[in-house]
Amino acid sequence: MYVEHRFLSQSAGRLLLMRQFVDLLDELETVAAGPVADPAIAAEEFVALRAAIDRLEAEASRRLAMVDERRGYAADGYPSATAFVKHRCRTTGGRAKRMVAEARALDQMAITRKLFASGDLSFDQTRVLIRAHEAEPDAFAGFEAELCDVARAAPWVATLSRAVAYWRQAVSELPDGADESVRDRRYLYCSRTLDGMVKLDGLLDPVAGETVLSALDGATPPRRDGDTRTPAQRRADALADVIAGPARAHLVVHVSNETLGDRQPKLSETGSGAVLSAETLRRLACDSSLNRILFEGESQPLDVGRTTRVIPAGLRRAVAARDRHCVFPGCDRPERWCDAHHIQHWADGGSTAVDNLALLCRHHHTLVHEGGFGMSGPAFEMAFTRPDGSRLPP
C-alpha cells in the first residue's frame, strides 16, 4: 500500500508540474503580446526559447520511449506507438514514425541523451548522431563519447555532419558502402500536368546533386534591377538553359593525395561539404581536370608578397578551400558569395598572402570596411569586434 501511495503521489506531482508549465506558457504568451523596446532582447529571448524547445524535445523523446517500450498506447486501442503519436499529436505518419525511431535510438545512446536533455546538444546535432547510430550501431557504441565531444565543439551542424561522414567511412567494413547506401535512394519523377506543365520531383546522390547545383549556379546570373522572377523561377529558367546549352558543369572537389593514392578517407568532399568516398573521388579523377591546391610547399604561389594587392586566382582558390564560407561569426554563406579580404589592409602594410586573407560575404565585407566592425589576427586565430569595441563571440 505504501509503495502504491508513493507511486500515485509522484504521478500527481508530475501532472501538477505539467499544468504549472502550461500556465507558464500562457503567461509568457501574454507578456510577449506587448511591444518589445529593444529588438536585441527579442533576439536573445528567441535563442533562449529555441534552447528550451530542444530540451523539451529531449523530455518528450524520453517519455515516448517509455510509452513505446511499455505499450502505453494499447490502453486506448492504438496498434502501435506510431499510430498513437500520429493521432494524438496531429502529425503525419512519416513524422510520427521518425519520432518513434528517434526515441528508440536515444534510449540506447546514454551519453547523447544526457547531453541533449541538459541542452549541451541541439535537436539537429542530436539527429546527426542518431543517424550515425542507426547506420553503424555497434561502432557507435564504442565511439559515442568521442562523437559527442566533436558535436559539442562543432560550430555548425554541417561541420558535425561532415565529421560523422568521415567517421562512417573509417569504421565501415566496405570503404564505399556509405556512398552506395546513399546512392541507392536516388530517384527522379517527371510527369505532365493537365495544363501542359511538367512536374519534377527527385533525390540525387551527392555527386550528381553537386553537379546539378554547380550547373544551375553557373547558369543563374546575378539578379538585375527589374527582374521580377522569384528565386524558384530563376532556377527553373537556369535548368532549361543548362539542358539546352552545350556547357559542361564544373564540379569542385577537395581531395588529399592520401585519398587518391592509398584510398584512405582523409580529405574527400565537394566544395559545399558533401563527403564522398575515396573510390568515388578516384572515379571522378579518371575523367576530370585536376587543379591542385597545396596549403604548404612551393608548387602553389600562396604568398605573392607586397608587390600587388590583386589576389591571383590560385591564391583565391587556396583561401576558399580553407575557409569554405564567410568567416564572420554566425555566417555560413558559401564561398561563391564571398570576397577574399585582406585582414591587415594592403595599404597598411598587409601582404597578399594566405595567412592574411579570409573569406567574407558581401554583407559582412561591407560591415568590416564601412560599418565599424573590426577584424584582426592571423587567418587561423581571427578576432571580431563590434563598433563599440566589444568582442563578438566565435
Side-chain angles (χ1 to χ4, degrees):
M1 290 295 295
Y2 171 73
V3 174
E4 181 180 356
H5 175 72
R6 184 176 63 180
F7 175 77
L8 291 174
S9 297
Q10 290 176 346
S11 299
R14 288 165 62 174
L15 286 173
L16 177 60
L17 183 61
M18 287 291 184
R19 292 192 183 99
Q20 291 174 340
F21 177 72
V22 172
D23 291 341
L24 181 60
L25 288 179
D26 292 338
E27 182 180 348
L28 183 63
E29 183 179 6
T30 302
V31 173
V36 179
D38 187 351
I41 294 177
E44 292 303 318
E45 289 176 344
F46 170 78
V47 173
L49 283 172
R50 286 306 317 175
I53 289 171
D54 281 355
R55 295 187 67 179
L56 285 174
E57 289 281 4
E59 282 299 311
S61 182
R62 187 167 69 90
R63 282 164 174 75
L64 179 55
M66 187 184 303
V67 169
D68 181 48
E69 180 183 1
R70 301 182 184 179
R71 296 176 55 83
Y73 51 83
D76 289 335
Y78 294 105
S80 66
T82 299
F84 160 75
V85 172
K86 179 182 177 182
H87 181 235
R88 292 293 298 277
C89 297
R90 293 183 285 186
T91 188
T92 64
R95 188 180 180 198
K97 183 178 180 180
R98 186 64 202 169
M99 289 168 66
V100 173
E102 289 173 349
R104 289 173 179 171
L106 275 174
D107 205 36
Q108 304 173 43
M109 302 163 61
I111 301 174
T112 306
R113 183 180 60 198
K114 182 178 179 180
L115 293 173
F116 185 24
S118 66
D120 289 318
L121 290 180
S122 72
F123 186 38
D124 288 341
Q125 287 177 312
T126 303
R127 274 190 159 171
V128 173
L129 295 178
I130 288 174
R131 288 197 295 269
H133 172 271
E134 291 172 339
E136 304 285 348
D138 294 334
F140 185 89
F143 284 91
E144 183 177 7
E146 289 84 353
L147 289 172
C148 283
D149 287 341
V150 172
R152 295 175 70 183
W156 306 97
V157 174
T159 306
L160 173 60
S161 296
R162 284 200 298 272
V164 167
Y166 280 119
W167 172 80
R168 285 185 59 186
Q169 286 195 30
V171 301
S172 176
E173 294 182 3
L174 298 175
D176 218 21
D179 265 18
E180 288 304 315
S181 66
V182 170
R183 191 168 183 271
D184 286 344
R185 295 161 51 201
R186 70 195 185 280
Y187 66 87
L188 180 65
Y189 298 123
C190 307
S191 60
R192 290 184 175 87
T193 65
L194 293 177
D195 58 358
M197 302 288 281
V198 175
K199 182 178 181 180
L200 303 178
D201 177 36
L203 188 68
L204 303 179
D205 65 76
V207 174
E210 288 295 324
T211 303
V212 170
L213 291 176
S214 179
L216 290 178
D217 286 341
T220 307
R223 188 169 185 173
R224 297 181 176 88
D225 292 339
D227 188 347
T228 60
R229 295 176 300 169
T230 66
Q233 289 172 331
R234 297 173 72 228
R235 283 194 297 273
D237 293 344
L239 178 61
D241 290 341
V242 168
I243 293 174
R248 184 177 181 183
H250 180 65
L251 177 62
V252 176
V253 295
H254 302 286
V255 54
S256 65
N257 284 333
E258 293 89 347
T259 300
L260 290 178
D262 53 22
R263 308 185 186 188
Q264 295 300 311
K266 304 293 185 181
L267 179 62
S268 55
E269 58 191 76
T270 67
S272 65
V275 177
L276 306 177
S277 72
E279 279 302 319
T280 298
L281 286 171
R282 286 169 65 86
R283 172 171 59 82
L284 292 176
C286 289
D287 188 28
S288 303
S289 61
L290 300 180
N291 191 312
R292 182 173 61 172
I293 297 176
L294 297 181
F295 292 96
E296 294 179 300
E298 299 179 355
S299 66
Q300 182 71 29
L302 295 186
D303 188 342
V304 298
R306 285 282 306 148
T307 60
T308 178
R309 65 179 178 182
V310 177
I311 301 171
L315 183 55
R316 173 64 165 75
R317 286 194 297 268
V319 176
R322 182 196 66 205
D323 292 347
R324 304 296 179 87
H325 54 73
C326 175
V327 299
F328 197 92
C331 184
D332 64 344
R333 286 177 176 168
E335 59 91 9
R336 64 180 179 274
W337 296 353
C338 295
D339 301 322
H341 167 73
H342 285 80
I343 301 172
Q344 182 184 12
H345 199 278
W346 187 84
D348 296 330
S351 62
T352 304
V354 70
D355 60 355
N356 190 47
L357 295 171
L359 293 184
L360 288 176
C361 69
R362 310 293 154 69
H363 171 73
H364 288 119
H365 202 180
T366 301
L367 288 184
V368 168
H369 276 287
E370 303 168 24
F373 284 78
M375 179 179 178
S376 61
F380 297 100
E381 298 176 357
M382 287 177 291
F384 292 83
T385 54
R386 302 181 180 93
D388 63 4
S390 61
R391 184 164 179 170
L392 280 167

